[in-house]
Amino acid sequence: MPPLNLGKQPPKNPLTADLAWQTTAARAAETVLFFDFDGTLAPVRDDPTAVHPAPGVRTAIEALAPVVRRIAIVSARPVDFLRDRLGDLAGVDLYGLYGLEHSHSGGETITEPTALPWVPTMADLADEARTELPAGTLVEYKRLSVALHWRTAPQLGPAVTEWGRIRADQLGLRVQTGRMVLELKPPVDRDKGMVIDEVVRDAGGAWYFGDDVSDIKAFTALRARAAADPRFFGVCVAVANPETGQEVAAAADLTIDSPADLGDFLADAAHRLR
């Protein structure tokens, strides 16, 4: 099993991976496992289109799916991208674009109706970004959002961020920060925390694995569910990285060293839960 580091925990009730899986085993059929994609199930790459799950991840998810109540991937990526990388896995739900799209266990993709009128705006915005932003900026068009990446040219971060925030204000869009990326999306009330809140309402437990600041909302949703129901067991897991890792780890219960370690960690979990 990969090395684990404890996140911040109340000193009177320290949580370890062993204890967390033991507790989960008693309620596995009531437990939902949530995963972010980029930086969690898959390493972050310079080219977002070249990203694939880390070794062992897909096999481990296939092994876990029949054991737990549900597995859900909650990502900034579109559902079609997630399906292409992970396949139509039975018992696995895909929530794309922070929940603006979803597909249950390989079913059709459903889009949030209130977001659809913004498709032309996002297409025009992507064209503007490609024309106006400096060379080295990678513009990722996702139909209902536009992500502006500067990973291959870190010095462009301030200029790209300023341009993105100005255009967001002008167009009435919302901004999501991330790891060397600024994402502009429609002003629709939908985020990872809201997805988690809806899915766990009648669950007995849940784990959330994430690496970026948008995942902190998911952590918060699990904490709120546990506060409302003492029988609910929630675990927040941060995947370490040099960019947002410290902030996310500070909000988590446990930390995994990298996406490359996650496959082994989940394979061990499948063995424990069986």
Short mmCIF file of all heavy atoms in Angstrom, two decimals, residues 219-264:
data_model
loop_
_atom_site.label_atom_id
_atom_site.label_comp_id
_atom_site.label_asym_id
_atom_site.label_seq_id
_atom_site.Cartn_x
_atom_site.Cartn_y
_atom_site.Cartn_z
N PHE A 219 -15.41 18.26 0.14
CA PHE A 219 -15.06 17.94 1.53
C PHE A 219 -16.06 18.57 2.49
O PHE A 219 -16.54 17.94 3.43
CB PHE A 219 -13.66 18.47 1.87
CG PHE A 219 -12.52 17.77 1.19
CD1 PHE A 219 -11.23 18.25 1.35
CD2 PHE A 219 -12.71 16.64 0.40
CE1 PHE A 219 -10.15 17.62 0.75
CE2 PHE A 219 -11.64 16.00 -0.21
CZ PHE A 219 -10.35 16.50 -0.04
N THR A 220 -16.39 19.83 2.23
CA THR A 220 -17.32 20.55 3.09
C THR A 220 -18.69 19.88 3.11
O THR A 220 -19.35 19.80 4.15
CB THR A 220 -17.44 22.01 2.62
OG1 THR A 220 -16.15 22.64 2.67
CG2 THR A 220 -18.40 22.80 3.50
N ALA A 221 -19.13 19.39 1.95
CA ALA A 221 -20.43 18.71 1.88
C ALA A 221 -20.42 17.44 2.71
O ALA A 221 -21.41 17.13 3.39
CB ALA A 221 -20.77 18.40 0.42
N LEU A 222 -19.31 16.69 2.69
CA LEU A 222 -19.23 15.48 3.51
C LEU A 222 -19.24 15.83 4.99
O LEU A 222 -19.89 15.15 5.79
CB LEU A 222 -17.97 14.69 3.18
CG LEU A 222 -17.96 13.86 1.90
CD1 LEU A 222 -16.76 12.92 1.89
CD2 LEU A 222 -19.24 13.07 1.73
N ARG A 223 -18.53 16.88 5.36
CA ARG A 223 -18.51 17.30 6.76
C ARG A 223 -19.92 17.69 7.23
O ARG A 223 -20.34 17.37 8.34
CB ARG A 223 -17.57 18.49 6.94
CG ARG A 223 -16.16 18.29 6.42
CD ARG A 223 -15.22 17.82 7.48
NE ARG A 223 -13.86 17.91 7.03
CZ ARG A 223 -13.00 16.89 7.01
NH1 ARG A 223 -13.40 15.70 7.41
NH2 ARG A 223 -11.76 17.05 6.59
N ALA A 224 -20.63 18.41 6.37
CA ALA A 224 -21.98 18.85 6.73
C ALA A 224 -22.91 17.65 6.91
O ALA A 224 -23.75 17.63 7.83
CB ALA A 224 -22.52 19.79 5.66
N ARG A 225 -22.78 16.66 6.03
CA ARG A 225 -23.62 15.46 6.15
C ARG A 225 -23.32 14.72 7.45
O ARG A 225 -24.25 14.26 8.14
CB ARG A 225 -23.34 14.54 4.94
CG ARG A 225 -24.12 13.23 4.97
CD ARG A 225 -25.60 13.44 4.68
NE ARG A 225 -26.30 12.16 4.59
CZ ARG A 225 -26.81 11.50 5.63
NH1 ARG A 225 -26.71 12.02 6.85
NH2 ARG A 225 -27.43 10.35 5.46
N ALA A 226 -22.05 14.61 7.81
CA ALA A 226 -21.68 13.94 9.04
C ALA A 226 -22.17 14.70 10.26
O ALA A 226 -22.59 14.11 11.26
CB ALA A 226 -20.17 13.76 9.10
N ALA A 227 -22.13 16.03 10.18
CA ALA A 227 -22.60 16.84 11.31
C ALA A 227 -24.10 16.69 11.50
O ALA A 227 -24.61 16.75 12.63
CB ALA A 227 -22.25 18.31 11.07
N ALA A 228 -24.83 16.48 10.41
CA ALA A 228 -26.28 16.35 10.49
C ALA A 228 -26.73 14.96 10.92
O ALA A 228 -27.83 14.79 11.43
CB ALA A 228 -26.91 16.69 9.13
N ASP A 229 -25.86 13.97 10.72
CA ASP A 229 -26.22 12.58 11.03
C ASP A 229 -25.00 11.87 11.62
O ASP A 229 -24.10 11.47 10.86
CB ASP A 229 -26.71 11.86 9.78
CG ASP A 229 -27.16 10.43 10.06
OD1 ASP A 229 -27.06 9.98 11.23
OD2 ASP A 229 -27.60 9.76 9.11
N PRO A 230 -24.94 11.67 12.91
CA PRO A 230 -23.77 11.03 13.55
C PRO A 230 -23.50 9.62 13.04
O PRO A 230 -22.39 9.11 13.18
CB PRO A 230 -24.15 11.01 15.04
CG PRO A 230 -25.18 12.07 15.19
CD PRO A 230 -25.93 12.09 13.90
N ARG A 231 -24.49 8.97 12.43
CA ARG A 231 -24.29 7.62 11.91
C ARG A 231 -23.54 7.61 10.58
O ARG A 231 -23.01 6.59 10.16
CB ARG A 231 -25.63 6.92 11.73
CG ARG A 231 -26.41 6.71 13.02
CD ARG A 231 -27.83 6.26 12.73
NE ARG A 231 -28.56 7.28 11.96
CZ ARG A 231 -29.79 7.14 11.48
NH1 ARG A 231 -30.43 6.00 11.68
NH2 ARG A 231 -30.37 8.11 10.80
N PHE A 232 -23.50 8.76 9.92
CA PHE A 232 -22.83 8.87 8.62
C PHE A 232 -21.32 8.93 8.83
O PHE A 232 -20.83 9.67 9.68
CB PHE A 232 -23.32 10.12 7.89
CG PHE A 232 -22.69 10.33 6.54
CD1 PHE A 232 -23.22 9.73 5.42
CD2 PHE A 232 -21.57 11.15 6.42
CE1 PHE A 232 -22.64 9.92 4.18
CE2 PHE A 232 -20.99 11.35 5.17
CZ PHE A 232 -21.52 10.73 4.05
N PHE A 233 -20.58 8.17 8.02
CA PHE A 233 -19.12 8.15 8.12
C PHE A 233 -18.52 8.69 6.83
O PHE A 233 -18.67 8.08 5.77
CB PHE A 233 -18.62 6.73 8.38
CG PHE A 233 -17.13 6.64 8.54
CD1 PHE A 233 -16.50 7.24 9.63
CD2 PHE A 233 -16.37 5.97 7.60
CE1 PHE A 233 -15.12 7.14 9.78
CE2 PHE A 233 -14.98 5.86 7.75
CZ PHE A 233 -14.36 6.46 8.84
N GLY A 234 -17.89 9.85 6.90
CA GLY A 234 -17.29 10.48 5.73
C GLY A 234 -15.79 10.59 5.86
O GLY A 234 -15.26 10.86 6.94
N VAL A 235 -15.08 10.39 4.75
CA VAL A 235 -13.62 10.49 4.72
C VAL A 235 -13.21 11.36 3.54
O VAL A 235 -13.62 11.11 2.40
CB VAL A 235 -12.96 9.10 4.59
CG1 VAL A 235 -11.44 9.24 4.65
CG2 VAL A 235 -13.45 8.15 5.68
N CYS A 236 -12.41 12.37 3.81
CA CYS A 236 -11.91 13.28 2.79
C CYS A 236 -10.44 12.97 2.55
O CYS A 236 -9.63 13.01 3.48
CB CYS A 236 -12.06 14.74 3.22
SG CYS A 236 -13.76 15.21 3.62
N VAL A 237 -10.08 12.67 1.30
CA VAL A 237 -8.71 12.28 0.96
C VAL A 237 -8.13 13.26 -0.04
O VAL A 237 -8.73 13.52 -1.09
CB VAL A 237 -8.67 10.86 0.37
CG1 VAL A 237 -7.22 10.44 0.11
CG2 VAL A 237 -9.35 9.85 1.29
N ALA A 238 -6.96 13.82 0.28
CA ALA A 238 -6.26 14.72 -0.62
C ALA A 238 -5.17 13.95 -1.36
O ALA A 238 -4.47 13.13 -0.77
CB ALA A 238 -5.64 15.87 0.17
N VAL A 239 -5.02 14.24 -2.64
CA VAL A 239 -3.91 13.69 -3.42
C VAL A 239 -2.87 14.79 -3.53
O VAL A 239 -3.14 15.88 -4.03
CB VAL A 239 -4.38 13.23 -4.81
CG1 VAL A 239 -3.20 12.69 -5.62
CG2 VAL A 239 -5.45 12.15 -4.68
N ALA A 240 -1.68 14.50 -3.04
CA ALA A 240 -0.64 15.53 -2.91
C ALA A 240 -0.20 16.07 -4.26
O ALA A 240 -0.15 15.36 -5.25
CB ALA A 240 0.56 14.95 -2.16
N ASN A 241 0.14 17.36 -4.27
CA ASN A 241 0.73 17.99 -5.45
C ASN A 241 1.42 19.27 -4.99
O ASN A 241 1.09 19.82 -3.93
CB ASN A 241 -0.33 18.27 -6.52
CG ASN A 241 -1.32 19.35 -6.12
OD1 ASN A 241 -1.04 20.54 -6.23
ND2 ASN A 241 -2.49 18.93 -5.64
N PRO A 242 2.38 19.78 -5.77
CA PRO A 242 3.15 20.94 -5.33
C PRO A 242 2.45 22.28 -5.51
O PRO A 242 2.98 23.32 -5.11
CB PRO A 242 4.41 20.88 -6.20
CG PRO A 242 3.94 20.21 -7.46
CD PRO A 242 2.91 19.22 -7.02
N GLU A 243 1.24 22.28 -6.09
CA GLU A 243 0.57 23.53 -6.41
C GLU A 243 -0.54 23.87 -5.42
O GLU A 243 -0.52 24.93 -4.80
CB GLU A 243 0.04 23.46 -7.86
CG GLU A 243 1.17 23.40 -8.87
CD GLU A 243 0.79 22.66 -10.15
OE1 GLU A 243 -0.37 22.26 -10.28
OE2 GLU A 243 1.68 22.47 -11.00
N THR A 244 -1.51 22.99 -5.28
CA THR A 244 -2.61 23.24 -4.34
C THR A 244 -2.65 22.19 -3.23
O THR A 244 -3.58 22.18 -2.43
CB THR A 244 -3.97 23.22 -5.09
OG1 THR A 244 -4.12 21.95 -5.75
CG2 THR A 244 -4.03 24.32 -6.12
N GLY A 245 -1.65 21.32 -3.20
CA GLY A 245 -1.67 20.21 -2.27
C GLY A 245 -1.77 20.60 -0.81
O GLY A 245 -2.49 19.97 -0.03
N GLN A 246 -1.05 21.65 -0.41
CA GLN A 246 -1.06 22.04 1.00
C GLN A 246 -2.44 22.49 1.44
O GLN A 246 -2.92 22.10 2.50
CB GLN A 246 -0.05 23.17 1.23
CG GLN A 246 1.40 22.73 1.18
CD GLN A 246 1.78 21.90 2.39
OE1 GLN A 246 1.56 20.69 2.40
NE2 GLN A 246 2.32 22.52 3.41
N GLU A 247 -3.09 23.31 0.62
CA GLU A 247 -4.41 23.82 0.97
C GLU A 247 -5.44 22.70 1.02
O GLU A 247 -6.29 22.65 1.93
CB GLU A 247 -4.84 24.88 -0.05
CG GLU A 247 -6.18 25.53 0.27
CD GLU A 247 -6.55 26.63 -0.71
OE1 GLU A 247 -5.75 26.93 -1.62
OE2 GLU A 247 -7.65 27.20 -0.54
N VAL A 248 -5.37 21.77 0.07
CA VAL A 248 -6.33 20.67 0.04
C VAL A 248 -6.06 19.69 1.18
O VAL A 248 -6.98 19.22 1.85
CB VAL A 248 -6.30 19.97 -1.33
CG1 VAL A 248 -7.30 18.81 -1.35
CG2 VAL A 248 -6.62 20.96 -2.44
N ALA A 249 -4.78 19.40 1.44
CA ALA A 249 -4.44 18.48 2.52
C ALA A 249 -4.88 19.01 3.87
O ALA A 249 -5.29 18.25 4.75
CB ALA A 249 -2.93 18.22 2.53
N ALA A 250 -4.81 20.32 4.04
CA ALA A 250 -5.23 20.93 5.31
C ALA A 250 -6.72 20.73 5.56
O ALA A 250 -7.16 20.75 6.71
CB ALA A 250 -4.88 22.41 5.31
N ALA A 251 -7.49 20.52 4.49
CA ALA A 251 -8.93 20.33 4.63
C ALA A 251 -9.32 18.86 4.64
O ALA A 251 -10.50 18.54 4.79
CB ALA A 251 -9.65 21.04 3.48
N ALA A 252 -8.33 17.96 4.49
CA ALA A 252 -8.62 16.53 4.34
C ALA A 252 -8.34 15.76 5.62
O ALA A 252 -7.74 16.26 6.57
CB ALA A 252 -7.78 15.97 3.19
N ASP A 253 -8.78 14.50 5.62
CA ASP A 253 -8.49 13.57 6.71
C ASP A 253 -7.21 12.78 6.46
O ASP A 253 -6.44 12.51 7.37
CB ASP A 253 -9.65 12.58 6.88
CG ASP A 253 -10.97 13.26 7.18
OD1 ASP A 253 -11.00 14.08 8.12
OD2 ASP A 253 -11.95 12.99 6.47
N LEU A 254 -7.01 12.40 5.19
CA LEU A 254 -5.86 11.59 4.79
C LEU A 254 -5.27 12.16 3.52
O LEU A 254 -5.97 12.84 2.75
CB LEU A 254 -6.27 10.14 4.55
CG LEU A 254 -6.94 9.37 5.70
CD1 LEU A 254 -7.49 8.05 5.18
CD2 LEU A 254 -5.96 9.14 6.83
N THR A 255 -3.99 11.86 3.29
CA THR A 255 -3.33 12.31 2.06
C THR A 255 -2.63 11.15 1.39
O THR A 255 -1.92 10.39 2.04
CB THR A 255 -2.30 13.42 2.36
OG1 THR A 255 -2.95 14.52 2.98
CG2 THR A 255 -1.64 13.90 1.07
N ILE A 256 -2.84 11.01 0.08
CA ILE A 256 -2.13 10.04 -0.75
C ILE A 256 -1.07 10.80 -1.53
O ILE A 256 -1.29 11.93 -1.97
CB ILE A 256 -3.10 9.32 -1.69
CG1 ILE A 256 -4.07 8.46 -0.88
CG2 ILE A 256 -2.35 8.45 -2.70
CD1 ILE A 256 -5.09 7.73 -1.72
N ASP A 257 0.07 10.17 -1.73
CA ASP A 257 1.22 10.89 -2.28
C ASP A 257 1.06 11.31 -3.74
O ASP A 257 1.62 12.33 -4.15
CB ASP A 257 2.48 10.04 -2.14
CG ASP A 257 2.98 10.02 -0.69
OD1 ASP A 257 2.53 10.85 0.11
OD2 ASP A 257 3.82 9.16 -0.38
N SER A 258 0.32 10.55 -4.56
CA SER A 258 0.20 10.89 -5.97
C SER A 258 -0.86 10.02 -6.63
O SER A 258 -1.23 8.98 -6.09
CB SER A 258 1.54 10.68 -6.70
OG SER A 258 1.81 9.30 -6.84
N PRO A 259 -1.34 10.41 -7.84
CA PRO A 259 -2.26 9.54 -8.56
C PRO A 259 -1.66 8.16 -8.84
O PRO A 259 -2.39 7.17 -8.88
CB PRO A 259 -2.52 10.31 -9.86
CG PRO A 259 -2.29 11.74 -9.51
CD PRO A 259 -1.16 11.71 -8.52
N ALA A 260 -0.35 8.10 -9.02
CA ALA A 260 0.29 6.81 -9.29
C ALA A 260 0.12 5.84 -8.14
O ALA A 260 0.12 4.62 -8.33
CB ALA A 260 1.78 7.02 -9.57
N ASP A 261 -0.03 6.35 -6.90
CA ASP A 261 -0.23 5.50 -5.74
C ASP A 261 -1.68 5.09 -5.54
O ASP A 261 -1.97 4.18 -4.76
CB ASP A 261 0.23 6.24 -4.47
CG ASP A 261 1.73 6.46 -4.44
OD1 ASP A 261 2.46 5.56 -4.87
OD2 ASP A 261 2.16 7.53 -4.00
N LEU A 262 -2.59 5.77 -6.23
CA LEU A 262 -4.00 5.55 -5.96
C LEU A 262 -4.48 4.16 -6.38
O LEU A 262 -5.31 3.55 -5.70
CB LEU A 262 -4.84 6.63 -6.65
CG LEU A 262 -6.33 6.62 -6.33
CD1 LEU A 262 -6.59 6.77 -4.83
CD2 LEU A 262 -7.06 7.73 -7.10
N GLY A 263 -3.96 3.65 -7.51
CA GLY A 263 -4.38 2.32 -7.95
C GLY A 263 -4.13 1.26 -6.90
O GLY A 263 -5.02 0.45 -6.59
N ASP A 264 -2.93 1.27 -6.31
CA ASP A 264 -2.61 0.29 -5.27
C ASP A 264 -3.46 0.51 -4.02
O ASP A 264 -3.91 -0.45 -3.38
CB ASP A 264 -1.13 0.39 -4.90
CG ASP A 264 -0.22 -0.15 -5.99
OD1 ASP A 264 -0.71 -0.90 -6.85
OD2 ASP A 264 0.98 0.20 -5.98
#
